[in-house]
Amino acid sequence: RSPQVKAFVSQDIPLYHNLEMKHLPGADPELVLLSHRYEELERIPLSDMTREEINQLVQELGFYRKETPDALVPEEFQFAPAKPLPTLLPSQAPTGDGKTPPTHDKEEHPDL
């Protein structure tokens, strides 16, 4: 195993909020990104990366790095690196039957 990856695992992971280490014997080290429903989104191999590159990647992905492992995480980073779910515009929201309502021309006022 790369000493760079080992240093990241032992010294840096405890500083990141919402970043967990799972040891899988014999597996190459990789970063596995999961959705809020724990569905796998992406796997990024780490074997050939330096500790600095891994730290940069994790921060670019939006993980919050604390000053110390026990430091409090600011409210705005509690769910980091999660991105807000895309919100549908009212005209794009599905109706109760699962169909998207018809779009109206700007000149029409169906609510009048």
Side-chain angles (χ1 to χ4, degrees), residues 46-72:
L46 302 178
S47 298
D48 296 331
M49 296 177 74
T50 66
R51 180 179 176 187
E52 184 177 297
E53 289 170 332
I54 298 169
N55 272 290
Q56 183 178 349
L57 170 67
V58 169
Q59 289 176 35
E60 286 173 0
L61 289 169
F63 286 90
Y64 178 77
R65 185 181 170 111
K66 302 177 282 186
E67 292 295 320
T68 64
D70 298 331
L72 294 176

Side-chain angles (χ1 to χ4, degrees), residues 27-89:
D28 287 334
E30 58 187 355
L31 179 64
V32 180
L33 302 175
L34 304 174
S35 73
H36 69 286
R37 292 187 179 134
Y38 297 97
E39 298 162 332
E40 186 176 311
L41 300 174
E42 185 176 358
R43 285 181 180 258
I44 303 168
L46 302 178
S47 298
D48 296 331
M49 296 177 74
T50 66
R51 180 179 176 187
E52 184 177 297
E53 289 170 332
I54 298 169
N55 272 290
Q56 183 178 349
L57 170 67
V58 169
Q59 289 176 35
E60 286 173 0
L61 289 169
F63 286 90
Y64 178 77
R65 185 181 170 111
K66 302 177 282 186
E67 292 295 320
T68 64
D70 298 331
L72 294 176
V73 176
E75 185 71 30
E76 64 268 24
F77 295 108
Q78 286 296 316
F79 297 105
K83 305 280 187 264
L85 293 174
T87 54
L88 295 175
L89 297 173

Side-chain angles (χ1 to χ4, degrees), residues 96-112:
D97 61 4
K99 296 179 182 171
T100 303
T103 57
H104 295 282
D105 191 3
K106 289 185 180 191
E107 298 301 315
E108 292 182 55
H109 297 284
D111 54 339
L112 294 179

